Amino acid sequence: MTSPFGYAPPMAPHESAPADTTPLPQSRDELLALHRETRRKRNAAKHGSPDHVAAIALLGRIEVEVARIERAMDPPLV
């Protein structure tokens, strides 16, 4: 099956991760440690499972916080 444009099949439907509002650590080092642990959890979870999807969502939140901290550094790390 191809898309209307003829070059890619549609993506499989998946459930989105529930909104996680757990507060994240505010130090860069703690965030990077949490990022490492979350990557391990994501890699251990079955692809597409709720645990896998939740880990991906948490990784995104962590990366946004790391970027925010790095932009605020003097000089910025970005």
Side-chain angles (χ1 to χ4, degrees), residues 3-73:
S3 74
F5 302 106
Y7 55 84
M11 293 181 63
H14 65 278
E15 294 182 23
S16 61
D20 184 4
T21 58
T22 306
L24 295 174
Q26 291 302 300
S27 80
R28 183 175 180 272
D29 291 335
E30 290 174 326
L31 284 165
L32 293 178
L34 180 58
H35 193 272
R36 277 190 300 278
E37 180 59 30
T38 305
R39 280 194 329 263
R40 283 189 199 101
K41 288 180 182 178
R42 178 203 59 199
N43 293 343
K46 181 181 176 197
H47 184 76
S49 70
D51 290 339
H52 185 255
V53 173
I56 291 170
L58 180 55
L59 285 169
R61 289 184 58 220
I62 294 167
E63 290 169 2
V64 167
E65 283 301 306
V66 169
R68 182 187 61 77
I69 289 169
E70 290 177 349
R71 281 192 310 272
M73 291 178 165

